[in-house]
Amino acid sequence: MTSRKKFIESVGATCKNWNWSWSFVNHDERFVIFGLWDVHKDGLIFDSEWRGAGRSQSLEHIRLVEEEGYKLKTFPMQYSEKSGGTAKIKSFDPVLEEKFLVGVSGCWYALGDEDEAGVSLAEEVFEPEKYIEGATRKISVNSYERNPKARKKCLDYYGYKCFVCNFDFEDFYGKIGRNFIHVHHEVALSEIKEEYEVDPIKDLKPLCPNCHAIIHRTMPPVEVSKLVAVLNSKRTREL
């Protein structure tokens, strides 16, 4: 396996010290690279409370992204731990992924347009061209296989605003809300218990977490069209 130094140098990036650096820069092509620990599922790449020799360098790399338009890239790192709690790289994947940077309360996150865009709930659909779903697999409980292509088709058609209330997370929260939305399955897969062909436009709808929770507050769930009618009626009465 190639070393981290050889990998970073192969993409034209460098750092001040190969022993303690966890971020790197390529000034010619104007991008910075952060290693992304597998334990940080939320995409956290820098916390202002972190201390260490690489702190000032990483802050400078963040500044390059925020103020000078450098692109952000990450590569996956698997976490290990030395005695004394010092972070150690168990292994890493020599592949770069383009991300966008979001800073919140002294923490910076590397987010992507797809993975961090939505939350995987039991009612969400996450897969082949005919979108066959419903096969079960056992983790600790039975979990219905989801279809990412079906989800993408739904969002390509409807966009990332809530189908019911029209809430747009990016408009309200800025970059941290980009492409965040739940995708609701009109017919709960847990009730189907078999494979069937999903229609991404008819069967799926993008919903904000509030509307999604209200829909699933009853059993069977409230139909999306009925919740839309409730909201429209409420708006009409308020005029």
Side-chain angles (χ1 to χ4, degrees):
M1 180 179 177
T2 185
S3 69
R4 186 182 59 149
K5 178 179 179 181
K6 288 182 178 179
F7 167 58
I8 296 298
E9 289 181 332
S10 73
V11 296
T14 189
C15 63
K16 291 181 178 179
N17 185 296
W18 293 104
N19 290 323
W20 47 251
S21 293
W22 70 82
S23 63
F24 315 88
V25 62
N26 180 324
H27 289 294
D28 292 336
E29 298 182 39
R30 295 175 61 82
F31 67 83
V32 301
I33 302 170
F34 274 82
L36 180 57
W37 292 112
D38 57 350
V39 294
H40 294 315
K41 304 300 183 182
D42 56 1
L44 179 68
I45 58 172
F46 189 86
D47 185 328
S48 58
E49 294 186 358
W50 292 349
R51 295 293 184 268
R55 174 184 169 83
S56 61
Q57 174 182 253
S58 291
L59 282 171
E60 169 60 14
H61 291 164
I62 287 172
R63 188 194 69 79
L64 291 176
V65 175
E66 291 185 325
E67 300 180 11
E68 299 192 23
Y70 279 52
K71 291 182 179 180
L72 173 64
K73 301 184 181 185
T74 65
F75 63 95
M77 299 191 308
Q78 290 71 51
Y79 181 84
S80 182
E81 188 173 301
K82 289 182 179 179
S83 59
T86 303
K88 179 182 178 182
I89 301 174
K90 181 178 181 180
S91 60
F92 72 94
D93 298 330
V95 57
L96 293 181
E97 299 177 338
E98 290 198 7
K99 304 284 186 175
F100 62 91
L101 183 68
V102 172
V104 180
S105 300
C107 293
W108 283 265
Y109 302 84
L111 303 182
D113 288 336
E114 294 292 333
D115 50 30
E116 300 81 3
V119 177
S120 304
L121 298 183
E123 298 80 17
E124 287 195 277
V125 173
F126 274 91
E127 194 174 55
E129 222 34 58
K130 288 189 177 180
Y131 313 121
I132 301 299
E133 297 199 41
T136 62
R137 55 191 173 88
K138 188 170 183 179
I139 304 177
S140 56
V141 296
N142 284 332
S143 173
Y144 286 84
E145 291 180 352
R146 305 305 190 203
N147 192 315
K149 291 183 181 178
R151 175 186 169 87
K152 184 176 186 303
K153 288 282 187 180
C154 168
L155 296 175
D156 285 347
Y157 184 85
Y158 291 109
Y160 287 84
K161 291 184 179 181
C162 178
F163 186 85
V164 173
C165 70
N166 210 38
F167 187 84
D168 187 309
F169 284 88
E170 185 173 10
D171 281 351
F172 192 85
Y173 293 106
K175 285 200 301 183
I176 196 172
R178 181 187 298 177
N179 292 358
F180 179 88
I181 200 74
H182 288 190
V183 172
H184 168 70
H185 201 293
E186 295 265 33
V187 181
L189 296 184
S190 58
E191 295 178 6
I192 296 169
K193 300 184 186 302
E194 61 183 12
E195 289 190 356
Y196 79 111
E197 189 171 324
V198 177
D199 183 328
I201 311 306
K202 179 182 177 182
D203 295 340
L204 310 181
K205 298 294 186 298
L207 297 178
C208 72
N210 284 350
C211 290
H212 203 178
I214 290 297
I215 278 177
H216 284 279
R217 199 174 186 194
T218 64
M219 186 56 68
V222 178
E223 294 179 12
V224 171
S225 59
K226 290 185 178 179
L227 189 60
V228 171
V230 168
L231 198 59
N232 287 341
S233 177
K234 181 176 183 299
R235 288 167 174 165
T236 299
R237 292 196 305 269
E238 291 175 348
L239 293 178

